[in-house]
Amino acid sequence: DTAVSQTPKYLVTQMGNDKSIKCEQNLGHDTMYWYKQDSKKFLKIMFSYNNKELIINETVPNRFSPKSPDKAHLNLHINSLELGDSAVYFCASSLGTAARANYGYTFGSGTRLTVV
Amino acid sequence: AQSVTQLDSHVSVSEGTPVLLRCNYSSSYSPSLFWYVQHPNKGLQLLLKYTSAATLVKGINGFEAEFKKSETSFHLTKPSAHMSDAAEYFCVVSIYSGGGADGLTFGKGTHLIIQP
Protein backbone atom coordinates (compact mmCIF):
# COMPACT_ATOMS: atom_id res chain seq x y z
CA ASP A 1 0.00 0.00 0.00
CA THR A 2 2.81 2.37 -0.99
CA ALA A 3 1.62 5.99 -1.02
CA VAL A 4 3.80 7.36 -3.85
CA SER A 5 5.53 4.79 -6.00
CA GLN A 6 8.06 5.35 -8.74
CA THR A 7 9.34 2.93 -11.32
CA PRO A 8 12.00 2.03 -12.07
CA LYS A 9 14.11 2.50 -8.98
CA TYR A 10 17.32 2.42 -11.02
CA LEU A 11 17.76 3.26 -14.70
CA VAL A 12 21.02 3.03 -16.62
CA THR A 13 20.94 4.09 -20.23
CA GLN A 14 23.09 5.43 -23.03
CA MET A 15 23.31 8.98 -24.23
CA GLY A 16 20.77 9.86 -26.87
CA ASN A 17 18.15 7.39 -25.70
CA ASP A 18 14.59 8.26 -24.73
CA LYS A 19 13.31 7.02 -21.40
CA SER A 20 10.34 7.38 -19.06
CA ILE A 21 9.90 7.28 -15.32
CA LYS A 22 6.49 6.48 -13.94
CA CYS A 23 4.87 7.79 -10.79
CA GLU A 24 1.63 6.83 -9.13
CA GLN A 25 0.02 7.97 -5.89
CA ASN A 26 -2.89 6.38 -4.07
CA LEU A 27 -3.44 9.17 -1.56
CA GLY A 28 -6.14 10.99 -3.45
CA HIS A 29 -3.87 14.03 -3.74
CA ASP A 30 -4.67 16.50 -6.50
CA THR A 31 -1.21 17.89 -7.17
CA MET A 32 1.88 15.96 -8.24
CA TYR A 33 5.47 17.06 -8.74
CA TRP A 34 8.84 16.06 -10.14
CA TYR A 35 12.05 17.07 -8.41
CA LYS A 36 15.63 16.53 -9.49
CA GLN A 37 18.40 15.84 -6.97
CA ASP A 38 21.87 16.41 -8.35
CA SER A 39 25.15 14.83 -7.30
CA LYS A 40 25.55 17.42 -4.54
CA LYS A 41 22.20 16.41 -3.05
CA PHE A 42 20.54 19.67 -4.10
CA LEU A 43 16.84 19.26 -4.86
CA LYS A 44 15.05 21.46 -7.34
CA ILE A 45 11.48 21.39 -8.54
CA MET A 46 10.96 20.61 -12.20
CA PHE A 47 7.22 20.40 -12.71
CA SER A 48 3.94 20.24 -10.92
CA TYR A 49 0.53 19.17 -12.16
CA ASN A 50 -2.80 20.13 -10.63
CA ASN A 51 -5.93 18.59 -12.09
CA LYS A 52 -4.03 17.73 -15.27
CA GLU A 53 -2.84 21.29 -15.69
CA LEU A 54 0.81 22.23 -15.64
CA ILE A 55 1.18 24.83 -12.94
CA ILE A 56 4.92 25.20 -12.48
CA ASN A 57 7.40 24.70 -15.25
CA GLU A 58 10.87 25.61 -14.12
CA THR A 59 13.59 26.31 -16.66
CA VAL A 60 14.27 22.72 -17.53
CA PRO A 61 15.19 21.62 -21.05
CA ASN A 62 12.24 20.83 -23.27
CA ARG A 63 13.65 17.33 -23.62
CA PHE A 64 11.85 16.74 -20.34
CA SER A 65 8.09 16.45 -20.59
CA PRO A 66 5.65 15.50 -17.84
CA LYS A 67 2.56 13.57 -18.80
CA SER A 68 -0.42 13.01 -16.53
CA PRO A 69 -3.02 10.55 -17.83
CA ASP A 70 -5.08 11.04 -14.67
CA LYS A 71 -4.92 12.60 -11.24
CA ALA A 72 -3.10 9.64 -9.74
CA HIS A 73 -0.26 9.50 -12.26
CA LEU A 74 2.49 11.85 -13.37
CA ASN A 75 5.08 10.32 -15.68
CA LEU A 76 8.32 11.96 -16.73
CA HIS A 77 9.55 11.49 -20.29
CA ILE A 78 13.08 12.39 -21.22
CA ASN A 79 14.24 12.56 -24.83
CA SER A 80 17.80 12.51 -26.14
CA LEU A 81 19.35 11.83 -22.77
CA GLU A 82 22.58 13.62 -21.89
CA LEU A 83 25.30 12.87 -19.35
CA GLY A 84 24.16 15.83 -17.26
CA ASP A 85 20.75 14.29 -16.81
CA SER A 86 22.25 11.76 -14.42
CA ALA A 87 20.59 12.40 -11.07
CA VAL A 88 17.98 11.09 -8.70
CA TYR A 89 14.45 12.07 -9.69
CA PHE A 90 11.77 12.25 -7.03
CA CYS A 91 8.05 12.26 -7.57
CA ALA A 92 5.86 13.86 -4.91
CA SER A 93 2.22 14.64 -4.30
CA SER A 94 0.23 16.98 -2.10
CA LEU A 95 -3.35 17.58 -1.10
CA GLY A 96 -4.68 21.05 -1.58
CA THR A 97 -3.50 24.01 -3.56
CA ALA A 98 -3.48 26.62 -0.81
CA ALA A 99 -0.55 28.96 -0.98
CA ARG A 100 0.79 27.81 2.34
CA ALA A 101 0.88 24.15 1.48
CA ASN A 102 -0.63 23.26 4.80
CA TYR A 103 -1.10 19.70 3.90
CA GLY A 104 2.49 18.69 3.34
CA TYR A 105 4.02 16.58 0.63
CA THR A 106 4.64 12.89 0.23
CA PHE A 107 7.66 11.81 -1.74
CA GLY A 108 8.40 8.68 -3.66
CA SER A 109 11.61 6.78 -3.00
CA GLY A 110 13.35 8.17 -6.05
CA THR A 111 14.66 6.93 -9.40
CA ARG A 112 18.41 6.95 -9.83
CA LEU A 113 19.10 7.72 -13.49
CA THR A 114 22.60 7.12 -14.82
CA VAL A 115 23.43 8.16 -18.36
CA VAL A 116 26.57 6.60 -19.80
CA ALA B 1 10.78 35.01 -4.11
CA GLN B 2 11.43 32.38 -1.49
CA SER B 3 14.77 30.96 -0.47
CA VAL B 4 16.22 28.90 2.31
CA THR B 5 19.77 28.76 3.65
CA GLN B 6 21.16 25.93 5.70
CA LEU B 7 24.09 27.38 7.52
CA ASP B 8 26.12 24.19 7.93
CA SER B 9 26.86 21.67 5.20
CA HIS B 10 28.10 19.15 7.80
CA VAL B 11 27.41 18.76 11.52
CA SER B 12 29.14 16.18 13.68
CA VAL B 13 27.99 15.32 17.20
CA SER B 14 28.59 12.51 19.64
CA GLU B 15 25.87 10.01 20.37
CA GLY B 16 23.75 11.18 23.29
CA THR B 17 24.56 14.88 22.85
CA PRO B 18 22.18 17.56 21.51
CA VAL B 19 21.71 18.21 17.81
CA LEU B 20 21.26 21.66 16.25
CA LEU B 21 20.77 22.10 12.52
CA ARG B 22 20.39 25.71 11.47
CA CYS B 23 18.10 27.10 8.82
CA ASN B 24 17.22 30.64 7.75
CA TYR B 25 14.58 31.51 5.20
CA SER B 26 13.31 34.42 3.21
CA SER B 27 9.79 34.66 1.90
CA SER B 28 7.51 37.32 0.51
CA TYR B 29 4.61 35.70 2.33
CA SER B 30 4.18 34.04 5.68
CA PRO B 31 5.90 30.79 4.86
CA SER B 32 5.19 27.17 5.37
CA LEU B 33 8.39 25.49 6.51
CA PHE B 34 9.40 21.87 6.63
CA TRP B 35 12.27 19.66 7.61
CA TYR B 36 12.87 16.49 5.62
CA VAL B 37 15.36 13.73 6.27
CA GLN B 38 17.03 11.51 3.70
CA HIS B 39 18.87 8.42 4.85
CA PRO B 40 21.57 7.00 2.53
CA ASN B 41 20.08 5.75 -0.72
CA LYS B 42 16.59 6.35 0.59
CA GLY B 43 13.73 8.69 -0.22
CA LEU B 44 12.65 11.81 1.61
CA GLN B 45 10.77 11.58 4.88
CA LEU B 46 8.91 14.46 6.50
CA LEU B 47 10.18 15.18 10.00
CA LEU B 48 7.94 18.12 10.85
CA LYS B 49 6.20 21.16 9.41
CA TYR B 50 5.25 24.67 10.43
CA THR B 51 2.12 26.16 8.92
CA SER B 52 1.35 29.29 11.01
CA ALA B 53 0.06 27.43 14.05
CA ALA B 54 2.26 26.90 17.14
CA THR B 55 5.77 28.25 16.69
CA LEU B 56 7.35 25.26 18.41
CA VAL B 57 6.75 22.24 16.25
CA LYS B 58 7.32 18.68 17.35
CA GLY B 59 8.15 16.02 14.82
CA ILE B 60 9.00 12.38 14.61
CA ASN B 61 11.96 10.65 16.28
CA GLY B 62 12.27 13.31 18.99
CA PHE B 63 13.03 16.21 16.66
CA GLU B 64 11.53 19.64 17.05
CA ALA B 65 11.92 23.04 15.44
CA GLU B 66 11.05 26.57 16.46
CA PHE B 67 9.80 29.17 14.03
CA LYS B 68 11.22 32.60 14.88
CA LYS B 69 9.83 35.25 12.61
CA SER B 70 12.05 38.03 13.98
CA GLU B 71 15.14 35.99 13.13
CA THR B 72 13.66 34.35 10.01
CA SER B 73 14.92 31.06 11.37
CA PHE B 74 13.60 27.53 11.66
CA HIS B 75 16.34 25.57 13.42
CA LEU B 76 15.99 21.84 13.99
CA THR B 77 16.95 20.37 17.36
CA LYS B 78 17.01 17.08 19.20
CA PRO B 79 18.04 16.70 22.85
CA SER B 80 20.00 13.49 22.43
CA ALA B 81 21.45 12.16 19.18
CA HIS B 82 21.14 8.52 18.18
CA MET B 83 23.28 6.66 15.69
CA SER B 84 20.21 6.16 13.49
CA ASP B 85 19.92 9.96 13.09
CA ALA B 86 22.90 10.01 10.74
CA ALA B 87 21.46 11.28 7.47
CA GLU B 88 21.03 14.31 5.22
CA TYR B 89 18.57 16.92 6.49
CA PHE B 90 16.79 19.44 4.31
CA CYS B 91 15.10 22.64 5.39
CA VAL B 92 12.33 23.49 2.97
CA VAL B 93 10.06 26.47 2.32
CA SER B 94 6.92 26.45 0.27
CA ILE B 95 6.61 28.36 -2.99
CA TYR B 96 3.52 30.25 -3.95
CA SER B 97 3.49 30.23 -7.72
CA GLY B 98 0.44 32.40 -8.07
CA GLY B 99 -1.12 29.77 -10.26
CA GLY B 100 -2.74 27.83 -7.50
CA ALA B 101 -0.37 24.97 -6.81
CA ASP B 102 2.69 24.93 -4.62
CA GLY B 103 6.15 23.55 -4.98
CA LEU B 104 8.98 23.46 -2.51
CA THR B 105 12.33 25.23 -2.36
CA PHE B 106 14.95 23.06 -0.71
CA GLY B 107 18.01 24.13 1.20
CA LYS B 108 21.26 22.53 0.14
CA GLY B 109 21.15 20.06 2.99
CA THR B 110 23.08 19.41 6.18
CA HIS B 111 24.89 16.13 6.54
CA LEU B 112 24.55 14.95 10.14
CA ILE B 113 27.32 12.67 11.41
CA ILE B 114 26.94 10.85 14.71
CA GLN B 115 30.14 9.85 16.46
CA PRO B 116 29.96 6.78 18.70
Side-chain angles (χ1 to χ4, degrees):
Chain A
D1 56 346
T2 304
V4 179
S5 60
Q6 298 178 227
T7 54
K9 191 174 177 66
Y10 299 95
L11 180 56
V12 180
T13 187
Q14 290 186 327
M15 282 174 50
N17 284 351
D18 303 336
K19 290 292 178 184
S20 295
I21 306 172
K22 295 185 178 181
C23 179
E24 176 182 5
Q25 54 95 5
N26 62 3
L27 299 166
H29 288 174
D30 54 16
T31 307
M32 295 182 71
Y33 311 81
W34 278 104
Y35 287 82
K36 178 181 180 181
Q37 185 176 41
D38 62 24
S39 58
K40 296 183 179 180
K41 300 284 188 180
F42 184 55
L43 279 133
K44 186 174 180 181
I45 188 168
M46 301 176 71
F47 304 104
S48 77
Y49 255 77
N50 172 259
N51 292 327
K52 296 191 180 183
E53 181 183 0
L54 182 65
I55 300 298
I56 302 173
N57 186 350
E58 294 291 311
T59 55
V60 299
N62 58 13
R63 298 181 295 103
F64 290 79
S65 56
K67 289 185 169 55
S68 180
D70 55 56
K71 199 170 80 167
H73 296 84
L74 182 65
N75 303 324
L76 183 65
H77 297 272
I78 315 170
N79 296 324
S80 302
L81 277 154
E82 300 177 359
L83 292 176
D85 298 333
S86 296
V88 181
Y89 293 84
F90 285 97
C91 177
S93 69
S94 72
L95 177 63
T97 56
R100 296 180 181 184
N102 288 333
Y103 304 105
Y105 297 73
T106 302
F107 282 82
S109 57
T111 296
R112 183 174 295 277
L113 171 65
T114 303
V115 182
V116 297
Chain B
Q2 285 78 16
S3 67
V4 60
T5 302
Q6 291 183 242
L7 298 166
D8 306 294
S9 59
H10 292 80
V11 169
S12 180
V13 301
S14 297
E15 190 176 19
T17 64
V19 175
L20 170 64
L21 305 183
R22 298 182 295 166
C23 172
N24 286 100
Y25 71 91
S26 67
S27 175
S28 303
Y29 305 89
S30 295
S32 291
L33 294 159
F34 309 81
W35 276 97
Y36 280 86
V37 59
Q38 185 178 28
H39 288 90
N41 299 314
K42 298 286 186 182
L44 292 155
Q45 182 182 20
L46 178 66
L47 276 179
L48 49 81
K49 63 181 178 181
Y50 166 78
T51 55
S52 74
T55 56
L56 182 61
V57 181
K58 294 188 183 298
I60 62 172
N61 300 334
F63 284 94
E64 62 182 39
E66 185 172 8
F67 173 72
K68 292 186 176 180
K69 187 175 181 179
S70 60
E71 299 176 9
T72 61
S73 69
F74 190 57
H75 300 335
L76 181 71
T77 60
K78 182 173 180 177
S80 176
H82 191 272
M83 293 300 291
S84 61
D85 295 329
E88 193 83 16
Y89 291 79
F90 295 95
C91 183
V92 184
V93 64
S94 67
I95 299 171
Y96 177 53
S97 69
D102 291 288
L104 299 172
T105 295
F106 281 76
K108 296 196 172 182
T110 297
H111 187 64
L112 178 61
I113 301 164
I114 310 296
Q115 306 282 359

